[in-house]
Amino acid sequence: MSHHVVEVRDLSFAYPDGTEALRGVSFRIEHGGAVALIGGNGAGKSTLLLHLNGYLSTTRSDVRIGDTIVTRETAALARRAVGMVFQDPDDQLFMPTVAEDVAFGPLNAGLPPDQVESRVASALERVGMTHLRERPPYRLSAGEKRAVAIATVLAMSPDILVMDEPSSNLDPRARRRLIEHLLSFEHTKIIATHDLELVVEVCRHVLVMDAGRIVAQGPTVEILSDENLMLAHGLERPHILRHAHPH
Amino acid sequence: MGITDWIEIGRMDELGRMDTPAHRLDARAKAIVTLAFIVVVMSFPRHDVSALTPFLLYPIALISLGRIPVGYLARKILIAAPFALFIGIFNPLLDRTPVTTIGTVAISGGWVSFGSIMFRFFLTVGAALALVACTGMNRLGAALERLGVPRVFVVQLLFLYRYLFVVSDQAGKMKRSAEMRSSGRPLRLRVYGSMIGHLLLRSMDRAERVYRAMVARGFDGEVRVLRPSSFVWSDAIFVAGCLLFFVSARLWNLAEAFGRLLTGGAM
C-alpha cells in the first residue's frame, strides 16, 4: 500500500537564527520496514523528524507521506498518518490522567466517545499499561511514561511511527520491553537513536546523518560494521557486531 | 524533592480521587457554591467578625464530608497566609479609633478590620482548597468550562497545575546541583537570579516542545475532554440549601441570634 511510503527529496532547512540544520536530505522508505536514523548530537535527526508531520515545513515541499505532499495545508493529514513519539515523555503527557492523555489524539480526530474509549483501551493494552489508566502521568516511572507516550500515539492508529530516542532513560528491563513492543508493531517505523544495539535488533535499514546530510544508508549490519564510517561520524561499531567477522 | 514536596501537590490529586459524599457531588455544583461563598464572605463590611463565624460551617462541612485531613489543608492555607498578612498589616496603624473594648484594653478599628481580613482569608482560601481537594483539579477544570468560563483560561489553569510539578522538580534539581558545588556556603542572591532565569528559558523551551507534541496529535486550539458528569437532584438541593444559608447569614447576624437564643434574649 502506497500510504506507508515516506519520501524525502532534497530537503534543506535553516532555523531562524541561521543554523543550517538540514542540507539536502533525500531518502525513501517503503512499507513495513523499521529504519534507524543515527548520527552524533546536532546532526539534524530531530529536525528531520519534525518535517515528517509538517511541524516544520519549507515553502516548496520536499516531503511525501504516502500520497500526501506535506505542506502547511496538508499537515493535518500527515499528522494522522505519522504518529510521533517525542524524546521526553513529560512533553508528551500533558493531560490530568493517563486515559485522557491517550484519548487526546482520537478526540482531536473527531471520533465519537465510544470509539475513543475502545481506542484508549486497546492502545493501553497494547503496551501493557491498562492498570495505570486513571493515574496522573507525572507520577509514573520513566519506563511507564515511555510506554504511555507510545500508547498516546498508537491510539491515533497511524501508518507510520516516528520515534526520537525511544530507549533513553530506560532501565534494562523497560528497554527490553520497549524492543519487544517495537518488534510487534506492524507500522513503518523511523527511529532516531544513539542506542545502536537496539538498532541491530529492531531495524533492517539505517540512515546515517552528519552535519545536516545523509552520509550513508543501507542494510543495518553492513553499515554498522563499517568501523571507519562509524568513527568518522561520531558513532562506533556496536558490541554485538564486534565479532561478526573472523580475524 | 524541594518545592514539590513542600506543596505536596501529588497529595492533592490523591485526595481528589477519593470517593466520599463530598466527592460525589457534581463539580459544577461545588464550584457555584464555593464561588457564591467567596463573594458573600467578601461582601461583609470591614469591621464584621462575629457575623462571619457561621460561614465556617461550609468549609467545615466540605472537609468533614470529603474526609480531607485538616492538618494538610491548614499547611496549604499557611503557605498563602503572608499575602493576606501584607494586605491587612497596615490597617492597625492607619485606623486607630477604638471601636470596642475587651476587659480594659481598647481595640482599634484597624485591629478589628485586620482580624476581619485574616478571618475572611482563612474562610475563602480554606473553602477553595477544600473544593479542589474534594473535586480534583481536572474535574474542576471541566466544571468551570461547562459553566461558561472561557476555554483558554481553563486550559491555562490545567496546564499551570500539570507543569507546576515538572518545573518545580527542575528547580529543585538545579538548586541541589548548585549547592553541591558551593562548598557548604549559602547560595548568593546572584546565583538564584541566574537559576530563575535559566528556569524561565527552560520552561519556554518546554512549552514549545509540549505544543509540538500536542500539534502532532491533531491539536487545533480546542481541548476536547471525555468526561461524563451529571447534575442530579441532590446536587440541586445542595446548591439551593447552601445559597439559602449564605443569603440568610449575610442578611442576619446568625451568631448573635444564636447567642440571644441561648441567653434568652438578654444580649
Side-chain angles (χ1 to χ4, degrees):
Chain A
M1 282 208 297
S2 67
H3 58 264
H4 293 272
V5 175
V6 178
E7 191 171 11
V8 173
R9 244 184 263 163
D10 197 26
L11 174 66
S12 295
F13 180 80
Y15 281 101
D17 67 357
T19 318
E20 273 188 80
L22 300 175
R23 310 170 196 222
V25 170
S26 299
F27 64 88
R28 182 183 160 90
I29 296 169
E30 302 283 343
H31 169 228
V35 175
L37 185 59
I38 61 174
N41 294 326
K45 303 188 297 292
S46 297
T47 308
L48 174 58
L49 296 188
L50 289 178
H51 279 85
L52 298 182
N53 73 351
Y55 183 78
L56 295 178
S57 57
T58 44
T59 38
R60 63 191 170 96
S61 182
D62 313 297
V63 180
R64 198 161 68 87
I65 303 290
D67 303 321
T68 313
I69 311 249
V70 182
T71 60
R72 207 152 289 178
E73 289 71 42
T74 61
L77 273 174
R79 279 165 201 163
R80 212 161 293 170
V82 178
M84 213 169 263
V85 180
F86 291 87
Q87 190 169 358
D88 183 352
D90 265 322
D91 297 338
Q92 187 143 11
L93 305 175
F94 41 76
M95 295 297 278
T97 68
V98 166
E100 283 176 80
D101 233 314
V102 179
F104 183 84
L107 282 172
N108 283 333
L111 294 179
D114 51 323
Q115 269 190 50
V116 172
E117 178 44 46
S118 71
R119 290 266 188 110
V120 170
S122 70
L124 284 175
E125 166 117 42
R126 195 75 200 270
V127 296
M129 291 291 139
T130 309
H131 58 292
L132 299 177
R133 268 193 78 100
E134 300 307 323
R135 295 271 298 278
Y138 53 85
R139 311 200 81 201
L140 308 180
S141 74
E144 291 166 339
K145 278 185 192 172
R146 181 80 54 176
V148 171
I150 293 174
T152 65
V153 169
L154 290 181
M156 301 179 68
S157 356
D159 300 315
I160 297 154
L161 276 180
V162 172
M163 301 190 174
D164 199 351
E165 290 290 355
S167 64
S168 61
N169 286 329
L170 296 187
D171 64 31
R173 184 170 37 179
R175 178 177 169 279
R176 179 52 45 197
R177 211 171 283 151
L178 170 82
I179 290 176
E180 275 154 23
H181 287 144
L182 291 180
L183 289 171
S184 75
F185 298 150
E186 63 286 1
H187 313 75
T188 299
K189 292 173 280 282
I190 301 176
I191 302 170
T193 185
H194 296 306
D195 186 345
L196 300 178
E197 318 260 330
L198 175 140
V199 172
V200 174
E201 282 190 67
V202 177
C203 305
R204 277 184 296 177
H205 278 79
V206 179
L207 302 170
V208 184
M209 280 192 87
D210 196 359
R213 291 195 178 86
I214 303 265
V215 290
Q217 53 181 310
T220 302
V221 176
E222 190 180 303
I223 298 280
L224 296 196
S225 304
D226 186 342
E227 187 122 37
N228 292 333
L229 174 77
M230 298 300 277
L231 289 176
H233 299 292
L235 302 161
E236 63 175 13
R237 176 139 63 115
H239 239 276
I240 359 178
L241 296 181
R242 283 266 151 186
H243 308 290
H245 302 290
H247 291 284
Chain B
M1 274 311 292
I3 305 167
T4 15
D5 278 351
W6 185 51
I7 56 180
E8 299 171 280
I9 191 171
R11 180 99 187 264
M12 204 56 139
D13 278 337
E14 270 160 35
L15 292 175
R17 278 199 305 278
M18 293 194 311
D19 187 29
T20 71
H23 286 75
R24 278 193 290 273
L25 284 167
D26 188 84
R28 278 167 292 175
K30 282 179 281 188
I32 293 171
V33 169
T34 308
L35 188 68
F37 175 80
I38 292 170
V39 170
V40 172
V41 166
M42 286 309 179
S43 74
F44 275 89
R46 65 193 178 115
H47 287 151
D48 277 357
V49 178
S50 76
L52 282 166
T53 47
F55 285 90
L56 271 170
L57 272 177
Y58 176 62
I60 288 174
L62 269 191
I63 288 167
S64 55
L65 284 176
R67 290 205 293 276
I68 300 157
V70 177
Y72 169 76
L73 209 67
R75 285 200 300 278
K76 303 298 90 138
I77 297 176
L78 283 180
I79 289 176
F83 296 102
L85 203 66
F86 280 112
I87 292 170
I89 196 73
F90 293 109
N91 285 16
L93 301 175
L94 298 174
D95 180 2
R96 292 163 188 260
T97 38
V99 288
T100 184
T101 52
I102 294 177
T104 55
V105 184
I107 305 292
S108 73
W111 278 111
V112 173
S113 64
F114 174 65
S116 180
I117 285 175
M118 292 310 288
F119 189 46
R120 282 173 222 219
F121 160 78
F122 279 105
L123 282 175
T124 51
V125 174
L129 286 172
L131 168 71
V132 177
C134 72
T135 310
M137 201 60 192
N138 44 342
R139 273 196 284 171
L140 189 59
L144 290 176
E145 195 192 318
R146 291 175 75 176
L147 287 172
V149 175
R151 200 183 287 260
V152 260
F153 292 122
V154 175
V155 171
Q156 288 299 319
L157 191 69
L158 289 176
F159 271 102
L160 181 72
Y161 187 71
R162 163 68 181 86
Y163 284 96
L164 197 57
F165 190 86
V166 175
V167 171
S168 61
D169 204 42
Q170 211 163 39
K173 281 181 191 159
M174 283 166 83
K175 185 167 175 289
R176 186 172 57 196
S177 77
E179 278 166 355
M180 280 178 178
R181 288 183 285 149
S182 67
S183 314
R185 276 184 223 129
L187 295 179
R188 279 170 304 161
L189 201 59
R190 221 175 64 85
V191 177
Y192 277 109
S194 169
M195 274 202 292
I196 288 170
H198 271 281
L199 203 60
L200 176 69
L201 291 176
R202 286 196 199 182
S203 302
M204 283 158 68
D205 281 347
R206 162 94 57 194
E208 168 77 22
R209 293 198 306 271
V210 171
Y211 176 67
R212 198 182 277 172
M214 294 175 78
V215 164
R217 286 194 276 152
F219 179 67
D220 54 6
E222 190 183 333
V223 174
R224 299 164 178 86
V225 282
L226 189 60
R227 272 190 223 104
S229 82
S230 51
F231 199 89
V232 292
W233 269 108
S234 55
D235 296 314
I237 293 167
F238 167 74
V239 173
C242 287
L243 294 185
L244 191 68
F245 170 68
F246 296 160
V247 170
S248 15
R250 176 69 185 90
L251 294 178
W252 301 288
N253 189 333
L254 293 185
E256 253 175 48
F258 189 61
R260 263 201 304 277
L261 196 72
L262 287 183
T263 55
M267 247 175 99

